[in-house]
Amino acid sequence: MELVVQFQVLNQSCQCLAWKPRPVVAWGAESQHVVAGYSDGTIRVFSISRTEMELKMHPHSVALTAIAYSTDGEMILSGGKDGLVAVSSPRTGMTIHILADHKGSPITVLQCTRKQYRDFGVEGGELWLATSSDRRVSIWASDWLNDKCELLDWLSFPAPAGPE
């Protein structure tokens, strides 16, 4: 085991991170990217191959608790301690959507999968899940190119039974 590269952000702690998926069509030299969410509500995109920070965004006012790239790597989904989910563009650095459906309960996991809308009878080329600490899961369909992000359904899980 050998440390290859290290990024240090002063006075902030990294709360979550994710690898950027490989592009479907590679343009020129291949590069690896990591996105990280921090305690001050910022997102930073780091280039592993160039060993530098490429982008800093501030879509949240509280600490991030979960982060993920869309399956095509064109959007970054981030969840905060306050339950808000932000959808941001790593190309422009802009926040496209703020979703408040989990407001009040910290986001614990964000997960994306490439599914076609016809698989489930809804529009969108990608499905994704957001889970929060209140044991609720929201299911979304998105078509990022057409600026569509639609809540499909909720799953709720009961609390474990207490000691007898």
Side-chain angles (χ1 to χ4, degrees), residues 36-153:
Y38 286 84
S39 54
D40 64 350
T42 59
I43 294 172
R44 290 172 172 86
V45 177
F46 297 97
S47 169
I48 301 298
S49 54
R50 294 197 340 228
T51 64
E52 66 182 24
M53 184 179 75
E54 291 186 346
L55 180 65
K56 178 181 172 184
M57 300 179 277
H58 202 156
H60 296 270
S61 60
V62 298
L64 270 77
T65 52
I67 199 158
Y69 270 100
S70 61
T71 56
D72 61 5
E74 292 298 314
M75 292 292 163
I76 295 171
L77 289 78
S78 55
K81 193 174 183 177
D82 58 2
L84 297 181
V85 174
V87 179
S88 305
S89 168
R91 283 191 196 271
T92 65
M94 294 180 61
T95 299
I96 311 298
H97 296 287
I98 297 285
L99 307 168
D101 299 75
H102 287 271
K103 190 172 184 175
S105 185
I107 302 299
T108 54
V109 176
L110 294 164
Q111 183 72 46
C112 301
T113 185
R114 186 183 310 274
K115 287 288 183 185
Q116 296 300 317
Y117 65 91
R118 47 187 136 359
D119 292 348
F120 297 95
V122 295
E123 288 194 34
E126 181 166 332
L127 290 176
W128 59 276
L129 305 172
T131 65
S132 52
S133 61
D134 60 0
R135 298 179 311 275
R136 294 188 318 145
V137 178
S138 57
I139 305 166
W140 300 79
S142 297
D143 184 352
W144 305 121
L145 294 176
N146 293 315
D147 195 32
K148 292 185 84 169
C149 188
E150 178 184 355
L151 176 63
L152 298 180
D153 208 351

